[in-house]
Amino acid sequence: MAALSNFSFSLSTSPPTFVSSSKTLKLLTSLTKKPSFRLKSRAFAATCSLHSASATTNPPTAQVETFWQWLRDQKVVSPKSPIRPATFPEGLGLVAQRDIAKNEVVLEVPMKFWINPDTVAASEIGSLCSGLKPWISVALFLIREKKKEDSPWRVYLDILPECTDSTVFWSEEELVELQGTQLLSTTLGVKEYVQNEYLKVEEEIILPNKQLFPRPITLDDFLWAFGILRSRAFSRLRGQNLVLIPLADLINHSPGITTEDYAYEIKGAGLFSRDLLFSLRTPVPVKAGEQVLIQYDLNKSNAELALDYGFIESKSDRNAYTLTLEISESDPFFGDKLDIAETNGLGESAYFDIVLGRTLPPAMLQYLRLVALGGTDAFLLESIFRNTIWGHLDLPVSHANEELICRVVRDACKSALSGFHTTIEEVNVGPLCA
């Protein structure tokens, strides 16, 4: 379920490059911005799975009941709690046990039941994981606990799926259906990234410490943990950028909820307590017997939703294409252009999401004109214009500059479209979820 940010990495694969004839403009068609992770779970209503059948399998009812009883025994919940786990068509979720008012707190989970880097640090493998990326340390912890029969987290781990509907878990045959899309490139890049991180941690941490990892840890194990974190971890919380919250992570997504505000937060347990609580609210009124839902992320594109959770929405403003623009290192004015870009909050590479029905992203045309500057227009790069050039780039610089960026963008679009098997006219277009 959840909403994770600041869980980021850079792909090692290089996307296709399109270079203008003057070799001053490079346009890349990569699939997402150096991907930044916001992790959550499944979707509800007005969304559709990209699989004909969900890849995830709901845990047996007995395991869910055991998990619920464990939460009650630990005083996380009580028989009067407004919500409890339940099975829905889209998977395991939270059901209202009574009518719930808008913005009512439905769950509070104490810090001792969170799984985060602090949990790892306090465990037997804490010293080994101190120098690792936070998500990798938590991934190793999850895998190790999953392989221990006597793990104190056993009842929670037993209800987690073996995989998610994310495209990361698709077969090669299924991925063929994504040919030509940025989603395919991103999916393959993410899988390569996870594999590289696994090989590194296997060599440096797992194999030299077999006494702490007595059972083999495979790439599939590592990919499982990655998928769990990507789809279920919360962030954007006070002091917490990667945290699994048992029970809270069952909450599903609704496209009908149009606000992300106040759905969850971390707060103090009381005036004289140092303990912290994860507090979950419902952003809309919920009737008894209905599913409790939140909005995962209003800014994610359908490609990002598919990568994270394996579903998409029918809303047109979820359809986006990311243009990656880059100042070529071979550009004779590379240093000047990079300085101007960085002064205006950009860099050697810049990422712009083109969303169906919306105006072009701010600064995209300015950045394009900057990287295309050359010839008689290059005088604008002189230091005397350094403080004013960005404003000048808001309008066309010259006919040659404007023609160049139009030609390169057009050629890049043609190249991207050529990756598809068919054109729209050649297929029987219908709803993707049909």
Side-chain angles (χ1 to χ4, degrees):
M1 118 11 65
L4 172 68
S5 62
N6 296 329
F7 176 13
S8 62
F9 59 81
S10 297
L11 297 182
S12 60
T13 53
S14 298
T17 303
F18 302 89
V19 186
S20 72
S21 57
S22 65
K23 297 186 178 180
T24 59
L25 173 62
K26 195 193 301 187
L27 177 63
L28 307 170
T29 56
S30 73
L31 60 116
T32 61
K33 324 177 221 321
K34 291 184 177 178
S36 116
F37 282 38
R38 296 261 185 110
L39 313 183
K40 295 175 190 155
S41 166
R42 294 153 300 281
F44 174 81
T47 63
C48 57
S49 171
L50 297 182
H51 273 118
S52 57
S54 175
T56 58
T57 301
N58 291 324
T61 302
Q63 290 182 337
V64 177
E65 288 301 318
T66 300
F67 173 61
W68 180 244
Q69 186 60 50
W70 174 71
L71 292 170
R72 291 175 61 176
D73 292 344
Q74 299 295 326
K75 306 295 192 254
V76 177
V77 298
S78 74
K80 294 184 179 180
S81 292
I83 51 96
R84 65 167 294 144
T87 300
F88 297 91
E90 63 277 6
L92 203 58
L94 299 176
V95 66
Q97 298 201 91
R98 59 168 173 79
D99 290 354
I100 302 173
K102 178 180 179 180
N103 291 332
E104 181 178 345
V105 174
V106 297
L107 178 65
E108 290 186 332
V109 182
M111 184 168 55
K112 67 178 181 178
F113 297 103
W114 305 353
I115 298 177
N116 61 8
D118 291 336
T119 312
V120 182
S123 73
E124 290 181 306
I125 61 172
S127 59
L128 294 177
C129 296
S130 60
L132 298 178
K133 296 181 179 71
W135 81 263
I136 294 178
S137 69
V138 177
L140 279 178
F141 177 84
L142 286 175
I143 297 166
R144 187 172 183 270
E145 294 300 310
K146 188 170 186 280
K147 292 178 178 289
K148 289 168 55 179
E149 290 299 328
D150 60 347
S151 170
W153 300 97
R154 171 54 50 201
V155 291
Y156 169 61
L157 295 170
D158 282 346
I159 69 163
L160 295 179
E162 289 302 317
C163 66
T164 73
D165 288 327
S166 163
T167 53
V168 169
F169 294 99
W170 284 24
S171 67
E172 290 185 9
E173 292 76 15
E174 289 170 323
L175 288 174
V176 168
E177 300 300 320
L178 300 179
Q179 182 170 336
T181 67
Q182 291 186 318
L183 177 57
L184 176 60
S185 304
T186 302
T187 300
L188 297 177
V190 166
K191 292 181 74 170
E192 181 180 354
Y193 166 77
V194 174
Q195 181 177 8
N196 290 338
E197 292 295 332
Y198 164 74
L199 293 174
K200 182 179 178 181
V201 80
E202 180 188 40
E203 179 183 354
E204 298 178 359
I205 303 294
I206 299 172
L207 294 180
N209 298 279
K210 288 186 177 181
Q211 73 280 9
L212 292 175
F213 300 98
R215 297 188 180 183
I217 293 178
T218 67
L219 175 59
D220 284 343
D221 292 328
F222 206 64
L223 192 62
W224 167 80
F226 175 87
I228 290 297
L229 290 175
R230 182 160 189 129
S231 65
R232 309 182 84 86
F234 292 85
S235 78
R236 294 183 294 172
L237 294 164
R238 186 177 68 183
Q240 298 291 327
N241 288 321
L242 175 62
V243 55
L244 284 171
I245 311 288
L247 188 59
D249 66 352
L250 298 184
I251 196 157
N252 288 322
H253 165 84
S254 170
I257 296 175
T258 57
T259 178
E260 299 176 60
D261 297 339
Y262 313 118
Y264 50 87
E265 63 178 340
I266 288 178
K267 63 182 185 180
L271 185 61
F272 301 106
S273 173
R274 285 186 166 184
D275 199 8
L276 296 175
L277 297 172
F278 174 90
S279 179
L280 179 68
R281 298 172 181 265
T282 172
V284 295
V286 184
K287 294 290 186 182
E290 294 179 347
Q291 188 172 180
V292 179
L293 302 160
I294 63 171
Q295 166 62 236
Y296 281 174
D297 194 322
L298 291 169
N299 297 317
K300 281 187 181 291
S301 68
N302 269 330
E304 291 172 305
L305 292 175
L307 184 67
D308 287 354
Y309 323 116
F311 68 78
I312 62 172
E313 290 186 4
S314 58
K315 297 177 181 178
S316 61
D317 59 1
R318 292 282 195 183
N319 296 327
Y321 188 88
T322 300
L323 288 180
T324 303
L325 308 177
E326 184 176 280
I327 304 170
S328 173
E329 291 185 358
S330 62
D331 190 323
F333 304 106
F334 174 80
D336 292 323
K337 292 179 179 180
L338 180 59
D339 181 51
I340 293 168
E342 291 178 340
T343 299
N344 291 279
L346 298 168
E348 182 179 347
S349 298
Y351 309 88
F352 301 96
D353 289 338
I354 312 299
V355 180
L356 186 65
R358 293 186 187 174
T359 58
L360 293 175
M364 185 182 119
L365 287 177
Q366 288 165 290
Y367 192 89
L368 270 168
R369 290 169 180 142
L370 172 66
V371 295
L373 276 178
T376 58
D377 299 323
F379 74 94
L380 290 171
L381 297 170
E382 295 177 9
S383 58
I384 191 173
F385 299 110
R386 194 58 49 96
N387 294 329
T388 59
I389 184 173
W390 199 249
H392 290 308
L393 295 173
D394 200 27
L395 296 173
V397 173
S398 67
H399 184 278
N401 181 274
E402 207 72 4
E403 183 180 28
L404 174 59
I405 66 172
C406 289
R407 183 171 68 250
V408 174
V409 171
R410 179 195 61 197
D411 291 345
C413 290
K414 286 182 177 180
S415 178
L417 288 171
S418 70
F420 291 90
H421 286 303
T422 57
T423 65
I424 293 177
E425 292 77 17
E426 291 171 338
V427 296
N428 180 20
V429 181
L432 189 53
C433 305

